[in-house]
């Protein structure tokens, strides 16, 4: 299942949610932060802070879920992947 927004799309799979980010804007950042708040209610702000400061791929655990950050290669989407517990 795919959901689209300005500069991004989300893919919901049985084991994870993928948030693909092509370009950032204030409105888009708020949409991503809202999705993270829904998926990770206790730690969404810290997850967002990790994403905004990364320059390379990283995986963390947050709210009992694995969260993977994939940084964009040239002209590609970056990703935040939140795995189901």
């Amino acid at each position: 299942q795919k959901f689209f927004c300005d500069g991004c799309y989300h893919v919901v799979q049985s084991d994870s949610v993928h948030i693909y980010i092509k370009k950032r804007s204030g409105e888009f950042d708020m949409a991503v932060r809202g999705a993270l708040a829904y998926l990770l209610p206790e730690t969404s702000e810290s997850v967002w802070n990790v994403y905004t400061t990364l320059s390379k791929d990283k995986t963390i655990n947050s709210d009992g879920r694995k969260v993977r950050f994939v940084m964009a290669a040239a002209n590609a989407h970056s990703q935040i992947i939140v795995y189901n517990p």
Side-chain angles (χ1 to χ4, degrees):
Q1 197 172 28
K2 291 184 180 180
F3 300 93
F4 294 87
C5 63
D6 181 30
C8 76
Y9 61 95
H10 306 107
V11 177
V12 179
Q13 299 180 330
S14 61
D15 66 340
S16 59
V17 174
H18 296 242
I19 303 170
Y20 293 87
I21 304 161
K22 179 70 171 181
K23 63 178 181 174
R24 291 184 53 203
S25 68
E27 182 179 330
F28 174 67
D29 285 2
M30 290 304 295
V32 172
R33 291 170 84 170
L36 290 173
Y38 177 78
L39 295 167
L40 304 163
E42 300 297 319
T43 59
S44 62
E45 284 302 310
S46 63
V47 168
W48 176 252
N49 290 335
V50 169
Y51 171 74
T52 60
T53 60
L54 283 179
S55 60
K56 61 181 183 175
D57 297 355
K58 183 173 184 169
T59 302
I60 64 170
N61 289 306
S62 184
D63 270 350
R65 299 172 85 167
K66 183 169 82 169
V67 180
R68 177 140 177 82
F69 304 95
V70 181
M71 297 295 100
N75 263 349
H77 290 79
S78 61
Q79 299 177 53
I80 301 173
I81 306 165
V82 180
Y83 293 90
N84 293 336

